[in-house]
Amino acid sequence: MSTKILTAGTVITMDPVQSRAEAVAITDGRIAAVGSVAQCRAEHPDAELIDTGAAALLPGFVEPHSHPIMSGIATQAPARSIAPWDAPAWSDIEAIFADAKANTDPATPLLFAGFDALLHKRPSPKAPELDRIFGERIAVVTDNSGHGVYFNTAVMKQHGWDVNPPADPVGAHFGRNPDGSLDGQGFETAVLLAVAGPVLAQLGNPLVSAAEYYAWMSRGGYTSTSDMTYDPKFKSAYEALAAAPSCPLRVSMWEMSTTDTYNAAESFSVAEQLLVKQGVKLWTDGSPWIGNIAISFPYLGTEATRTAGIDPAVAGGMQSMNYTREQLDAVLDVAAPTGWQMAFHANGDLAVDLALDAYQDALHRHNLLGTDHRWRLEHLGAGTRKQFDRAASLGVHVSMAPFQYYYWGDLLDGQIFDHEHGSRWAAFADAVASGAVVSLHNDGSVSPPTPVLNIQTAVTRRTRAGTVHGADQCIALDQALCAHTINAARTLHRDKLIGSIEIGKLADFTELTADPYAVDPAELADTALVSGTWLSGERTDLAAFVDAVSGSDTGRHEHLAEHPRNTCC
């Protein structure tokens, strides 16, 4: 077994016993020693000494909540991103539309991902507007939240919906004109599947798109991620990506409770270190940005909400629940005895209460109170200190979404919700103070894969515009780094393998161009840049990874495009 010793300006271990080091020795993909260069050399005198050139070497960042394959299919070429960070204004989107029309085969359908009525400051498009832009060419626009889709008349004609409008699927609905005909809008998973699925299936190689998204996550500093909407139909694709040379990510899976197999075991053709199914996922409510989260306080009637089509008279409240308590109990009673780790999406405070009520009773019914079950709550934008305390007392982990505050914070406070609730959205300090295990996530592709920016946001409460709301909800840098390393690893049940630089763990690292403790927290994302990642003691080669996937037999993965994402925010 060959051994190598890596050095950097500093090694930040996230191990409370030894928080800093000069070097780390690696044998057979695992950490063999941590300490000074002299200590590592004394233990491994024949090891190759490698200077990473990084100002700081950290454990690889962990993304506890994402959707990597479907994010790749929905956002990477040949799909085109119109998300607010890529196209801030409608004029930018129009330019992307024009380029797509001019530079692609007229017979090829067009897919654009990431429209956001609140951030783009205009109503969601309907068929007449898309008809004016695209004419007879099939064109689909997905909402950045993952809960909406917009399409032109050419799409309706393709399906015969122009003369025979479909009924609304269970749990989803089409927008309609007064005469019952479709207006070019649709909401929730079943409609997204019906509209976007056939388009995605015609757009090319979905596995290459997924590989490009893996590479994007790696460039952001992630070495481990999750799929919170796993479907067994993705299995062969995940195996192919994991088997490719220099694969940059480990993936943990939570299967959707809407499948027929969510309670079944899953095995993969690669090592469990790379792929593992961990649990079951469901959604108690929807997205703040389209008005369907379950909250006890009202949406405001402002220019922003009116433009986004959010009607305070019907938005929010208990009607935004996706499940009844009885339906939640039924899923829990199937999954809990099997030992699956549960994960419930819950944005609104009413949704969090419903999830905690269901969790508490199910943990009691199945004799799991006080055990290391690590059941999860996701996002908790409107979560309160009382709810975080309750989660901690039940052993429930909370995974929070800094991007919600970073991108939408200036709207949340006073334009979407009142100051009392909007200013404390994503209450990081309350969550940490409760004693719950707190992690941070990007929820790709709802936001770009930017863990360093997540950390900056949690520490400073600065929005994209640089303003601060709810300054009392800032957390310390140590706490934020833990939330994207060791705490996120704990939430994934992977903390014995990853999340800190300790002897015996896998040698997964992220290189930064600055020591995060030595820079202005408000400039962290612009100063402490990711310069590379390592997986099992090998520096990732993203070009080799993408090239290998591009050159593989990917025809058997075309079915992936038939399953558009159901993201969470």
Side-chain angles (χ1 to χ4, degrees), residues 11-15 24 31 34 57-59 499-503 509:
V11 177
I12 300 172
T13 68
M14 304 312 298
D15 174 8
V24 53
I31 297 167
V34 183
L57 191 70
L58 285 76
S500 61
I501 299 177
E502 298 181 66
I503 293 173
F509 310 121

Side-chain angles (χ1 to χ4, degrees), residues 38 53 66 113 115 125 189 204 207 245 262 299 302 358 403 438-439 479 486 543 553 555:
S66 190
F115 177 79
T189 304
L207 201 62
Y262 72 85
Y299 278 87
T302 64
F403 66 88
V438 178
S439 62
Q479 295 166 333
I486 188 61
D553 177 12

Side-chain angles (χ1 to χ4, degrees), residues 87-154:
W90 182 250
S91 58
D92 300 313
I93 294 175
E94 289 180 315
I96 294 171
F97 287 166
D99 180 75
K101 289 192 298 179
N103 294 298
T104 58
D105 184 338
T108 301
L110 298 174
L111 175 68
F112 306 92
F115 177 79
D116 185 281
L118 285 164
L119 294 181
H120 285 130
K121 300 179 180 179
R122 74 178 314 278
S124 304
K126 294 184 177 181
E129 182 175 19
L130 295 175
D131 290 346
R132 288 193 295 271
I133 297 170
F134 297 105
E136 293 299 314
R137 189 163 184 179
I138 291 172
V140 172
V141 176
T142 63
D143 197 271
N144 190 63
S145 68
H147 293 260
V149 65
Y150 317 112
F151 50 96
N152 63 353
T153 301

Side-chain angles (χ1 to χ4, degrees), residues 21 97 136 184 228 257 294 320 413 418 453:
F97 287 166
E136 293 299 314
M228 300 305 293
S257 64
S320 294
D413 185 2
D418 61 37
L453 180 59

Side-chain angles (χ1 to χ4, degrees), residues 217-352:
M217 292 191 73
S218 179
R219 287 192 292 272
Y222 285 124
T223 58
S224 289
T225 187
S226 57
D227 186 342
M228 300 305 293
T229 49
Y230 176 67
D231 186 301
K233 296 178 178 68
F234 302 162
K235 179 178 178 178
S236 62
Y238 274 118
E239 290 174 330
L241 292 167
S246 208
C247 176
L249 296 174
R250 308 182 191 281
V251 187
S252 302
M253 319 286 195
W254 273 256
E255 187 164 343
M256 297 180 289
S257 64
T258 52
T259 70
D260 295 329
T261 57
Y262 72 85
N263 202 45
E266 186 73 278
S267 60
F268 298 94
S269 62
V270 297
E272 188 176 287
Q273 295 171 359
L274 287 170
L275 293 178
V276 64
K277 178 179 169 180
Q278 296 282 34
V280 178
K281 163 73 183 304
L282 54 75
W283 296 259
T284 57
D285 66 350
S287 167
W289 325 128
I290 60 175
N292 64 344
I293 61 169
I295 46 176
S296 63
F297 48 93
Y299 278 87
L300 299 180
T302 64
E303 182 179 354
T305 56
R306 284 191 293 272
T307 298
I310 298 173
D311 182 355
V314 298
M318 292 296 292
Q319 67 268 23
S320 294
M321 297 291 191
N322 289 331
Y323 291 81
T324 65
R325 173 59 192 280
E326 292 73 23
Q327 290 170 323
L328 294 182
D329 288 348
V331 172
L332 288 167
D333 286 344
V334 169
T338 317
W340 292 121
Q341 185 184 10
M342 302 304 303
F344 282 11
H345 163 117
N347 265 308
D349 60 329
L350 295 178
V352 174

